[in-house]
Amino acid sequence: MPAPIRIVLTEEEDRTLLELRVATSVPQRTRDRAHMLRLNAQGWNTPAIAEIKEVS
């Protein structure tokens, strides 16, 4: 089994991803990806994120 993927964000990176998450001027896919990255940095594992976002 592969090692779990875990990212660490700086405050600036987290702030940028939050801004992307709520921006209406960017595509939904970009907003979703920003949300998934923030969830991972907060400790969520990849399978749990995939399940709540209904992606594989």
Side-chain angles (χ1 to χ4, degrees):
M1 181 173 194
I5 298 171
R6 181 72 48 182
I7 62 167
V8 177
L9 299 172
T10 65
E11 286 184 38
E12 183 179 351
E13 290 168 333
D14 188 55
R15 187 173 38 254
T16 300
L17 289 171
L18 178 57
E19 290 170 3
L20 282 172
R21 173 72 178 117
V22 297
T24 57
S25 60
V26 297
Q28 183 65 43
R29 177 181 168 108
T30 302
R31 293 192 306 251
D32 288 344
R33 286 165 114 17
H35 189 209
M36 288 185 267
L37 287 169
R38 291 189 77 235
L39 288 173
N40 183 272
Q42 293 170 9
W44 288 64
N45 63 35
T46 304
I49 295 169
E51 185 174 322
I52 66 163
K53 298 304 279 184
E54 297 179 355
V55 297
S56 57

